[in-house]
Amino acid sequence: MADPALHHETQPLKQIAVDYTPEACDHCAESNSIALTYDHRGGARWRTTSRFQYGTFSAHIKCPGGNTSGLNFNLYLSSLEGDKSQDEIDFEFLGKDRTIVQTNYYTTGTGNREQIHDLGFDCSDGFHKYVIKWDKDFIEWLIDEKVVRREDRKPGESFPDKPMFLYASVWDASYIDNARWTGPYIGCDAPYVCLYKEIHVPSRTAVE
């Protein structure tokens, strides 16, 4: 029987794919850093080139500063972005308030499990470490090594189990819920740059 701890061995992220606006995504494989820019071109979204099934995913993130109202910046797992039956596990920063972060997870396209967490800092002030630990029996979200949320699989309830990519993006989400989620987009401090470094993914990928 495989050692469950093997799921949580990690390695630095070497290669990414950019789903749109590649010129707004600057990736340096040597330094294991990525900069995403939101400006007149819109934002950009990067992802891993392969899916993973369970494991530990982490990044040090410095979110954009200024008036970020309307924007969403994030780090999340999804079986396929845009698929209506996706599994997903999220960290989402809401531009209207950079002192909070939202966590959520989806199973076969169903979410509505949002929780808001007070960070105790402004996420644009410096780099902080965000970790998703995904196991077949639990999910943990950690910030600066502290568990902020844990969800355990319950008998008879669905749980994320589809192989997933690691994604990150910066985008204008002000059209959602009449701007109540992220605030109205102002854009007076564009360009907005979200920085990711020391990105780690599981050592073992899922079958493609």
Side-chain angles (χ1 to χ4, degrees):
M1 187 172 172
D3 181 355
L6 290 174
H7 282 318
H8 299 287
E9 291 181 358
T10 67
Q11 62 185 0
L13 179 64
K14 299 285 194 223
Q15 189 177 7
I16 63 170
V18 182
D19 290 335
Y20 58 86
T21 329
E23 62 273 21
C25 180
D26 182 20
H27 174 223
C28 179
E30 286 185 6
S31 65
N32 189 12
S33 62
I34 300 171
L36 284 180
T37 299
Y38 185 92
D39 56 17
H40 63 280
R41 300 167 296 185
R45 180 175 68 222
W46 63 262
R47 62 172 173 82
T48 54
T49 55
S50 56
R51 290 181 172 96
F52 303 86
Q53 190 166 30
Y54 310 124
T56 297
F57 305 79
S58 64
H60 288 72
I61 306 172
K62 181 182 180 184
C63 296
N67 187 337
T68 50
S69 181
L71 295 180
N72 174 295
F73 10 101
N74 50 61
L75 183 74
Y76 66 100
L77 300 170
S78 177
S79 52
L80 185 62
E81 175 60 47
D83 178 10
K84 298 301 182 190
S85 64
Q86 89 277 17
D87 286 359
E88 189 173 310
I89 304 170
D90 304 339
F91 268 120
E92 296 192 272
F93 300 93
L94 312 180
K96 65 182 182 181
D97 186 350
R98 291 194 305 270
T99 66
I100 61 172
V101 69
Q102 176 181 288
T103 59
N104 196 9
Y105 71 98
Y106 291 74
T107 55
T108 59
T110 301
N112 301 317
R113 301 177 176 98
E114 298 92 343
Q115 288 187 16
I116 297 289
H117 311 273
D118 286 314
L119 291 168
F121 54 82
D122 182 320
C123 64
S124 70
D125 282 349
F127 283 95
H128 292 270
K129 185 178 182 181
Y130 301 87
V131 179
I132 296 170
K133 285 190 176 181
W134 171 39
D135 197 84
K136 67 182 182 66
D137 294 317
F138 70 87
I139 306 165
E140 287 183 341
W141 293 256
L142 298 89
I143 302 174
D144 293 334
E145 311 295 350
K146 179 184 175 185
V147 176
V148 296
R149 180 177 180 181
R150 179 183 169 106
E151 295 287 344
D152 292 295
R153 180 191 286 267
K154 297 177 179 64
E157 288 190 11
S158 58
F159 206 67
D161 58 11
K162 294 179 180 176
M164 297 201 264
F165 296 102
L166 179 67
Y167 285 90
S169 64
V170 183
W171 58 291
D172 178 1
S174 61
Y175 66 91
I176 295 176
D177 195 20
N178 294 313
R180 280 189 285 266
W181 189 43
T182 59
Y185 180 65
I186 309 297
C188 57
D189 293 312
Y192 299 97
V193 181
C194 195
L195 300 174
Y196 299 80
K197 69 177 185 178
E198 298 174 48
I199 308 149
H200 280 73
V201 295
S203 300
R204 299 190 305 175
T205 60
V207 291
E208 281 299 292

